[in-house]
Amino acid sequence: MKKMLASIIILLLGQMVCAQTLFTYGKKGSYAVDKEEFLAAFNKNNPEDKSLQAKREYLEQFYIPFKLKVQAARDMRLDTLPFLKYELENYKRQVLDDHLVADSAVQALCAEAYTRSLRDIRLSHIFIPFSDAYVIPNSYIDPEPEDTVAAYKKITDAYNTLLGGAGFSETALQFSGDPSVKTNRGDIGFITVFSLPYHLENIAYTLEKGQFSAPYKSKGGYHILLKTDERPAFGTIKGAQILLAFPPGVTQGEKQVLRARADSLYKALQSGAGFDLLARQHSSDYNAATTGGALNPAFRIGRYDPDFETAVTALTRDGEFTKPVETTYGIHIVKRESHVPVTTDSLRAVAEYKPQVMNDPRIRISNEQEEKRILAVVGYKDLFENDNLLWEITDGIINKDGYTLPPKITPATAIFAVGNETRTITDWVDYINTIRNNYRAGSPIPYATLMKHYTTVTVKKYYRDNLELYSPSFRKQLKEFEEGNLFFEVMGREVWNRGADDEKKLTRYYKQNRSKYTWGESINAVLFTAIDKSSAEDIQSDPGAFVRNWRTFTQNTDGNIIADSSRFETAFVPGYNSSMPENSLSVLSDQNDDGPYSLLYIISRIPGGAPKTFPEARGFVINDYQLHLDKKWQQKLRKKYPVSINGDVLNAL
């Protein structure tokens, strides 16, 4: 009993620590706001002053009135207005995707990519494909069992040979199915992050120098990697090349001819010939005629042939070019145009890598982890035990034989539950009907895979549609948007529209407070705003003409010059000072290349003190009357929704 009581006390204390109520409002404290919610709003709107006094003022003058007005809007059922509901749903769709990806997992992948980007790793590779088709990129098909067994035996033999002390190059020549092994003896050169498929990248970056990996099975076959070297990352290079490509089935005689031509081009470059011109005239690269051999985009290590990259990375200055480099593709002469070292700013790098991470297969790992989490979060429950019955129904639909449900099983019988929703036999039948054309009658059907796909799609859709139930950050963002919309709608109805549109009440308020509305020190002037420097110079060249005909001139400038002639109170003219002379043009803004520019032509000065007419004071009257209405409304709201502030929590802020 004592242990249970202690546990209850600990739980209660934990709740007090996690959610401390700052204030309540409404009858009997119906609504509560905790300090975290208040601080989030305060910090967003007060980036500089974080003092307790600033928090007190924000709470009393802005935040409590805001919450009371939002509650008034809810009580007026403004949250049921169709256009506000539509705006909330539209906003929800806009921000949904940002919350669906497990941000912590994405950040971890970005940080991992940054760490790996700081090192280039040199690798050798033994590859045993399941069949010759797997040597061609993106030509993977499901291997036959016997192919898998044969490949496994061969990679095991290769691995045992290495364990026995054989050299990696010799073992690669003996076993590897990579066609390039005959020339590179398994050496694939330096790689960096994103150069390899993610699983192979993981292996590469966990190896020690001189260490080889255990066999790894991919979609296309088995791999063994050896780490032979490591260096600080080279970074990104932009360049251009002259390529003399080897034709299919090239002979040694043809290679000799191309080598001689490459030597001639290299000597011409050494003598000062233009690289761009020679590339346009001689390069086999398909885009050389238009780009001058430019290699687009700029590239990192691990993209091209190792010999090609070795020659390029040896260039030490922009404009320098390599000697002819021979690869399996042909003979290259490469010019370095620019080199950007890898960034060592981790925050910048993580932000830059995010788009690549999001478009890389590695994000599937994050998504798979997220799918498992979602299954647990939404409360997925399997409610149907007779899988064989479902498979019989599936066969009946795909084979078009039809099916019969046994006693006590109906179309409404639940298969599984997701949150507060269930999926039934009918839902399963509908799903199978949508995909049945993917399978031939009598062909093997992957029942478990189909069910996994169906449950995954269903659970993810439910989670997406109800994300605010599971994501505090998403719920908070939606709440902020909804409350902001309700605030503006109710303020428009109770203050702004009433304060601006009721001419009789505005006139009466003006007469009651006429003494408030007097002119300060003023000027009769023409105020010009020039969008660009050239327009400002046009005004300065003949200010008198522009002042006399300002309407005509501004109408003919296509909006480049805007002007207004009026009586201006000097206190409301930014940049004005009393030393500005009459009947001359003064520049109010600093001259710069961006604009806009403000220019003032003072016709005469008028001392302050004269009363303003209602039309002259109308803008000030509207503002004051709206403040008057708002103050009276807040007094009513305070009575309707009594506020109680927790002084201890406030003082602890």
Side-chain angles (χ1 to χ4, degrees):
M1 182 66 181
K2 289 181 179 179
K3 289 182 179 179
M4 183 179 293
L5 181 60
S7 298
I8 293 172
I9 292 172
I10 290 171
L11 286 172
L12 290 173
L13 287 173
Q15 290 175 353
M16 290 171 63
V17 170
C18 293
Q20 296 184 36
T21 299
L22 178 60
F23 69 92
T24 61
Y25 59 96
K27 293 180 180 179
K28 298 181 181 180
S30 309
Y31 311 101
V33 176
D34 61 49
K35 72 172 186 180
E36 285 77 16
E37 181 181 348
F38 166 73
L39 285 175
F42 173 81
N43 291 329
K44 183 181 292 186
N45 293 284
N46 295 270
E48 296 179 0
D49 189 353
K50 304 295 185 183
S51 67
L52 180 59
Q53 181 60 31
K55 294 183 176 76
R56 288 179 181 276
E57 291 176 359
Y58 182 77
L59 178 67
E60 287 286 356
Q61 298 175 18
F62 299 101
Y63 197 68
I64 288 177
F66 170 79
K67 297 298 284 190
L68 300 187
K69 290 171 183 177
V70 170
Q71 189 56 49
R74 294 191 191 281
D75 290 346
M76 294 164 63
R77 296 182 57 78
L78 298 185
D79 54 343
T80 65
L81 291 173
F83 79 93
L84 287 184
K85 292 173 69 175
Y86 170 79
E87 286 187 4
L88 181 61
E89 284 301 313
N90 189 47
Y91 179 74
K92 179 178 177 179
R93 287 193 295 271
Q94 291 176 21
V95 301
L96 191 62
D97 288 339
D98 290 337
H99 291 267
L100 284 173
V101 178
D103 193 56
S104 59
V106 173
Q107 288 297 320
L109 288 171
C110 291
E112 177 188 75
Y114 162 68
T115 301
R116 292 178 177 180
S117 73
L118 300 176
R119 295 184 296 152
D120 293 339
I121 292 175
R122 188 162 192 164
L123 297 174
S124 289
H125 179 220
I126 294 173
F127 175 50
I128 309 298
F130 293 134
S131 72
D132 292 341
Y134 289 94
V135 176
I136 304 172
N138 302 318
S139 64
Y140 302 146
I141 56 174
D142 289 336
E144 298 295 333
E146 56 269 23
D147 293 335
T148 305
V149 171
Y152 178 75
K153 183 180 182 307
K154 193 171 183 181
I155 198 70
T156 302
D157 290 343
Y159 186 59
N160 288 333
T161 301
L162 291 171
L163 291 176
F168 198 93
S169 298
E170 293 73 20
T171 306
L173 278 171
Q174 181 181 353
F175 291 97
S176 185
D178 184 347
S180 64
V181 73
K182 295 176 183 178
T183 55
N184 65 19
R185 301 171 67 85
D187 179 17
I188 59 176
F190 281 95
I191 62 99
T192 187
V193 64
F194 299 111
S195 296
L196 299 177
Y198 184 56
H199 289 293
L200 292 177
E201 179 189 299
N202 283 337
I203 295 170
Y205 275 91
T206 55
L207 291 172
E208 297 294 332
K209 186 175 178 179
Q211 180 186 12
F212 56 84
S213 70
Y216 170 76
K217 181 182 178 183
S218 70
K219 288 182 178 180
Y222 289 95
H223 310 256
I224 298 175
L225 295 178
L226 167 70
K227 179 177 176 181
T228 59
D229 200 1
E230 179 179 332
R231 70 184 182 196
F234 177 77
T236 303
I237 193 165
K238 185 173 183 179
Q241 75 164 337
I242 299 171
L243 169 64
L244 304 181
F246 291 150
V250 62
T251 65
Q252 285 299 320
E254 290 171 327
K255 284 186 177 182
Q256 282 300 117
V257 171
L258 291 174
R259 288 167 185 153
R261 188 188 302 172
D263 288 338
S264 297
L265 292 172
Y266 179 66
K267 290 177 182 177
L269 290 170
Q270 287 181 310
S271 300
F275 193 98
D276 180 88
L277 179 62
L278 292 184
R280 293 177 189 275
Q281 292 176 341
H282 299 281
S283 182
S284 307
D285 206 351
Y286 74 94
N287 64 354
T290 56
T291 67
L295 293 166
N296 288 316
F299 64 93
R300 291 182 299 184
I301 294 306
R303 180 173 176 182
Y304 294 115
D305 183 278
D307 292 334
F308 178 95
E309 291 187 348
T310 298
V312 172
T313 55
L315 300 175
T316 58
R317 65 182 185 276
D318 295 347
E320 187 181 4
F321 46 86
T322 67
K323 293 180 179 180
V325 181
E326 189 168 321
T327 70
T328 55
Y329 304 101
I331 304 173
H332 314 252
I333 302 174
V334 187
K335 181 181 73 169
R336 168 173 148 169
E337 295 184 343
S338 63
H339 171 240
V340 180
V342 65
T343 180
T344 56
D345 182 338
S346 59
L347 293 178
R348 176 184 170 190
V350 165
E352 289 179 354
Y353 282 134
K354 186 172 182 180
Q356 287 179 272
V357 166
M358 296 297 290
N359 291 307
D360 190 80
R362 70 190 64 203
I363 195 63
R364 284 203 301 267
I365 296 172
S366 172
N367 290 339
E368 288 168 2
Q369 294 171 344
E370 181 69 354
E371 287 171 7
K372 292 177 182 177
R373 186 188 70 83
I374 290 173
L375 277 173
V377 164
V378 301
Y380 171 82
K381 294 180 182 177
D382 191 349
L383 302 175
F384 195 78
E385 297 180 355
N386 193 345
D387 286 344
N388 288 331
L389 174 60
L390 283 180
W391 308 155
E392 289 175 11
I393 293 172
T394 305
D395 286 339
I397 296 170
I398 292 176
N399 296 326
K400 300 179 182 179
D401 296 332
Y403 61 90
T404 303
L405 295 177
K408 298 183 180 181
I409 301 294
T410 72
T413 298
I415 301 174
F416 59 83
V418 181
N420 60 4
E421 296 180 3
T422 58
R423 293 296 178 268
T424 65
I425 296 287
T426 296
D427 296 320
W428 176 254
V429 169
D430 291 342
Y431 166 66
I432 295 301
N433 273 316
T434 63
I435 55 94
R436 70 179 185 180
N437 290 333
N438 297 336
Y439 300 91
R440 296 190 303 273
S443 64
I445 301 172
Y447 304 111
T449 301
L450 292 178
M451 177 56 77
K452 184 176 186 295
H453 177 264
Y454 179 58
T455 55
T456 299
V457 169
T458 303
V459 168
K460 289 177 74 172
K461 183 179 185 305
Y462 180 86
Y463 182 75
R464 182 185 183 93
D465 293 344
N466 299 276
L467 185 60
E468 58 269 30
L469 299 176
Y470 307 106
S471 171
S473 61
F474 184 64
R475 182 166 61 248
K476 176 175 174 284
Q477 193 169 353
L478 286 188
K479 182 181 179 182
E480 287 179 356
F481 181 82
E482 182 191 29
E483 288 188 343
N485 272 3
L486 288 173
F487 174 80
F488 281 102
E489 182 64 23
V490 76
M491 282 292 290
R493 292 171 180 243
E494 297 294 324
V495 177
W496 296 328
N497 295 343
R498 290 171 58 191
D501 298 338
D502 195 329
E503 205 69 18
K504 289 183 179 179
K505 290 184 178 179
L506 284 173
T507 303
R508 184 166 64 246
Y509 185 83
Y510 163 76
K511 291 178 179 178
Q512 292 170 348
N513 299 275
R514 191 191 304 266
S515 61
K516 291 172 57 177
Y517 305 110
T518 58
W519 282 102
E521 181 187 345
S522 308
I523 53 174
N524 282 321
V526 182
L527 180 63
F528 296 97
T529 301
I531 302 302
D532 52 46
K533 191 172 185 178
S534 175
S535 298
E537 290 171 347
D538 287 343
I539 300 171
Q540 290 174 316
S541 66
D542 193 355
F546 267 86
V547 170
R548 289 190 300 273
N549 302 287
W550 65 270
R551 292 184 189 276
T552 303
F553 274 114
T554 54
Q555 288 173 357
N556 296 325
T557 63
D558 295 325
N560 289 331
I561 299 175
I562 302 169
D564 184 23
S565 176
S566 183
R567 178 177 179 175
F568 301 100
E569 289 188 274
T570 57
F572 299 104
V573 179
Y576 173 84
N577 67 71
S578 57
S579 64
M580 289 181 173
E582 294 182 0
N583 299 313
S584 63
L585 191 69
S586 301
V587 179
L588 296 176
S589 63
D590 294 333
Q591 293 288 335
N592 55 64
D593 292 331
D594 298 328
Y597 309 93
S598 296
L599 305 100
L600 184 70
Y601 191 95
I602 301 175
I603 299 171
S604 62
R605 284 188 168 82
I606 307 169
K612 289 182 178 179
T613 64
F614 175 68
E616 291 172 336
R618 193 174 190 280
F620 296 97
V621 174
I622 289 174
N623 184 66
D624 291 345
Y625 184 56
Q626 287 176 341
L627 292 174
H628 168 72
L629 290 176
D630 189 41
K631 185 177 180 180
K632 289 179 63 177
W633 185 38
Q634 286 192 46
Q635 291 171 350
K636 291 180 181 178
L637 292 176
R638 291 271 185 169
K639 291 180 181 179
K640 184 177 181 180
Y641 309 109
V643 176
S644 176
I645 299 175
N646 187 327
D648 291 339
V649 175
L650 176 60
N651 291 330
L653 293 179

